[in-house]
Every structure is written in C-alpha cells, then in structure tokens.
Amino acid sequence: MKMNYLSFSGKTVWQNNKPFIWFLFSLLIILSVLKIIFYNYNYSLLFTGSALHDPEFDKSKLIKWSLVNDLLTILLINTPLLFLLQAGRWVTPKLTNWFILPVFVIINSFAISLNLADIFYFRFHFQRSNADLLYVLDHPFKQLFHQNPFIIIVFFAATAGVIVLIWALHKKFFTSFLKGNHAVLATFVLLICIGLSVIFRNRFTRIVVPTYPLIDIKSSPLPIVQNSFHTFLYSVFRKGSDVKLKAYLPLATADSLFSIKKVLHLNNTGKAGKNIVLFIMESVPYDFFDPSGTFKVQMPFFDSLLQKSTFFNNAFCYAHESNKGITAILAGIPTLSEIPVYHSKYINMPVTPLGSVLKINNYRSFFCIGDDFDNFGFAKCMNWLGIDKYYSKEDIPNFKNIPAHSMGLHDEYVLNFMHEQIKKIKQPFLAISYNVSTHYPYDLPSSFSVKFPAGYTEPMKSMRYYDHSLQLFFRAAVKESWFANTTFIFCSDHWMFPEGNKGEYNPVNGYKIPIIIFDPSVNEKKINDHLVSQFDIMGTIAAISGYKDSIISYGGNLLDSNSTKNFVISKPNSSLYQVADSAYVLGFNNITNKAEYLFNYKDDKVLKKNLIADKNTSAVLNALTIRIKAFLQKAGQHYNSRLN
C-alpha cells in the first residue's frame, strides 16, 4: 500500500484528514457553546461599570481570541493522539481500542468538564481554574453529596452527557481513521501551527506557553477568552506563579510609601497582655451590617454588641478566597502566588509567626474549626504560624452525631466546644474561631426555627443563625473569670454575594467586610471610618499582647489609627491589583504595568465613568498608581527574600 507522507496537495490533505477536522471542529463547537453560557451567566461579574461603554471593548476580539485559545488547547491535547494512532496502526489496531481511545476520552472529557464547571465556579473564584483548585477542593465528592439533590442530579447528568458525547466523537473518528490512509495527519497539524504563527507572529508563542495569555485584552473580559483546561494545566505545570521582582520606583521611595517591617505598640489605648479571642467569619460581607442597605440582617447579638464596641465601617478584604483571607488576617501578608503561600515555594520567606511571637509573652494559642482536619490546608497554615493547637471536627466528642453543615459541624456546637477549650487553657491566650455555617450552600440545622422576614436571602438566613450561635457562646462566656480580661475581634475572611449565588459584583463594595473590636473593660460604642483592612488584624493582636519587637506586616494596629494607612490593597485576579483611598479606586495590571480603570466611587456609585483619561483626575491617578507600584515592588522583594 502506497503511503502518502509528504503530499501537501490541498485536496489530499482535506480528504485524508476530513474525519480529524470534523473531530476538532466538533470539540471547538462544544467549547464555544460553553463560552456563550459562561458569558451570559457571569456577565455581571465580568462587566462592571464602564466596561460596556469602553471604546477599547471589542467583541470581535473576544470571539477571535476565544476561538484561537480553544483551538490551540484542543490541538495541545490531541496532537499526541495523531502520532499514537499512527503508531497503533503499525503495531496492532487493538492498541487503539484498548488504550488510546479510553485515555483520550478521559483527557478530552476532563478538559470539557473543567470548562463546564467554571461556568458556576467562577463566581467563587473570580477567575478561571488554576492550581489553587487543588487546594480548595480537598474533599470534592464529599462536599458534592451535601448539596441540594437537584444540583447533584444536574451535575452527574451533565458529566455523563459530556462523557457520552466525547466517547461518540472519538469512536466515530477512530473508526474512520482505521479504515483510511491518514499518514499526513501530522502534516496537517503542522500546517495549522505554521499558519497561526505567521498570522499572529510573536503572539503565537505567548498563547501556546503563556506567561500571560493575552496582553491586548484587559483583565475583566479575559476569562471569556481563556480555556479552563489551559489555565489549570499551565498553572499546575509551573506550580503556582512566580513572583517577579519589580523596579518601578527608587528603593527609598518605595520604602517610604510602603513599609513592611515596623514596630507597633498599644499606644496607651489599653492594658497589654489581655486574652484575645478572634472570630474569623466565613463569607460575611459588610452588607449584613449596613443599616442603610438592602441586606441588613436583624441580628440580636451583633446589634447589641455594636452598642459597646468599635465598628470599623470602612474595612476591606484582600481577596475572595479563604486561603488568602486567613493569610492576610493571621500573617498580615498578601498572597501573590496562585496557590496558598503555605503550600508554595515561598513558605520560607520572612514572616512574623503570630503564635511564636505571642509565646514570648507567655501566650498559649489554638485554632478551632468545625471542618475536616486540614481542609483548605488550614492545619498547615497554623503550624507555619506557630499556633499551639489545631482543633477540627474530629476533636469534638461524638462529632458524627452532631448536626452538620455541608462544610462541617454547625457553628453553635463548635463554639460550645471552643468555650470548653478556653476554660482549660492557661491565661493569657489567643483563641481563634473559624465558623463554617455562613459558607455556601448556607444549609441550617433543623433545630433553628426562627421566622425570617420576607425577602431574606439564603446567605442572610445563615448570618442570622451565626448570630444566634455567637449569642449562645457569649451567654456562657460572660460568666467566666477570663471574660473581663479579654479583647474580642471579629473579621470576615472575604466578601461574598449577600443576595446569593446570582448576585452582582462591584470592585469596591465587593471587598467591604465588617471588622469589630469588643473590649468589656471599655464597653463604649465607637464608629471608626478610617480605611482599614485584614492586614491590620495581626499587628493589632501583637500590640494587645505587648509585643515590643518589629514585625513583618502589610498593615498596622487597629487600636492606633496613626499606624494604619489611608489606602487599602486588594487582588481581584491573578494579574489585577486594586488600590482604593477614601474616594477613588484604581485597578492596575501588573503584567502590562498599566492602570485599567479609575473610578470616583463616592460620587459614581455604579462605577460607570472610567476616569483613566480624564485630565482633571491625573493627580489622583498618579498618586494611586505610585502606591500600588510601591506595594508590588516591596511585595516582590519580600517574596524573593530581599527585604532590606
């Protein structure tokens, strides 16, 4: 039989590769349909404010680059398929049916399913799947079976549908391949690659192995263009993004604008050496506390507590993931890598381990959560920070018979256990509670039979239950001898949609969280409207303990307003960083090194007018740009252990 290996005739290439072309085209159609669904479902997250009115926004660019990225991802997966198929023909056709077919059905099914899952998961992650997914879904199937039965049915039906469809496409192509002469298949793929490299020139290499997928599309619509399998595979391959050194500013200027090493004292605001109880509140937005907002929750405990506490009503989180929130709160540092810092190669960079420094003043410390042991890597995080003990649901007596939320035991039972541990620990102490009942999907114990007002969303109901759980804890705690000598701190790990999974995202309100400090010995109502953030919690705890040495922290001390900054930093996605002052918010792309938006969020509530090109705000633009550059430059030095 004559083998036509080198024919470049258009007709020959087409006829010999027609089945493969249709196979690729079918996969491309499936991915394109998923992109359309992704676009419509996540529209409110992708296009906020002026994005739709931006003259640079061009849907034709999104379509072009979407098709290119999906096609190249398909080729990345299936080019090896061509060579294996040819090898199988030379060896034995059985190799195709027994090995090659199942393997590539699995790979292509996973690639399609990941894009399918990201349609819904994007609302929690705010970006396409990357290596962080491996550290978030520690128990994916266990969590899945706690979901609504309808969600489970839809998930398995969709997954089964994808597998059946991909199997049918593979089987049809393989059958055709075995019957025909397809020795030029590799030539066809080579021609596609050569053609694309000619059309897109040096951009082509950035798409195939990108350090950043597309630099001619802004970060907000970028997820539409990306392919989830590609972002996930590349992220896993490089084991999280490298944090590069930046040299935007002279070293002295960067140091003056953003100091990381500092000494934080109590500043005569109270007695040092008090016990500290920190409540890290899962997925609790500021909206639940906003008296003028739509989503204010009726909370008997918190509403009473705020009458004798300091409430920081201008507080911001750093990111939208729990593993970034816990690092910001307890270590006082930002996560710049895609994966959690305590799993990354940056684990040995200079930090101030909170538990270890508290030991200097004879503090004992423990962390308590109703979740599975080391879920989200929290046990590793506590060990990294020198916290003495880590309690998870397995440590709670008879935990298998205690009412449970999808993420773990319900809050009232875990807080009761925490109370018992506090009674046993020697003073002074740091006790950390991380609740789970306010996490999606917000299921509540059947014993909680409060009648909710009309219009309450599922997150609002879960917050009402958490308030009830805290009320029970404080009723018992107030009777204890340690209570009067304790400072209680409340801080959310990140903002989440108060209206539920179909809410809308705002680059400013989407980072506002509640921070509250209650000291029974002060017992005074205060409203603090200074800009503060999660980074300020660690320094506050160190100051309360009486720690006198310098610390590494990106924040200050909440009990000393002179130590906090007049701006806050947030991280919307892997390339975009955000800085906000009392009136303006600026988004800066650290890949292109350009500002993408500037809004006056005080006057422009819905962020429709992008002021990037407005000459009247050029001074504000320059000031905020310098601040974010100082942050990125200092953080790059920190991550690469080059702090001076």
Side-chain angles (χ1 to χ4, degrees), residues 159 183 278 319 406 433 493 504 637 644:
T159 303
L278 170 64
S406 300
S433 164
D493 67 339
E504 294 191 3
Q637 293 173 351
N644 41 344

Side-chain angles (χ1 to χ4, degrees), residues 387-401:
I387 302 299
D388 293 329
K389 291 185 179 180
Y390 178 94
Y391 295 113
S392 58
K393 74 176 187 182
E394 294 87 353
D395 296 300
I396 300 178
N398 198 33
F399 75 92
K400 292 183 179 180
N401 297 318

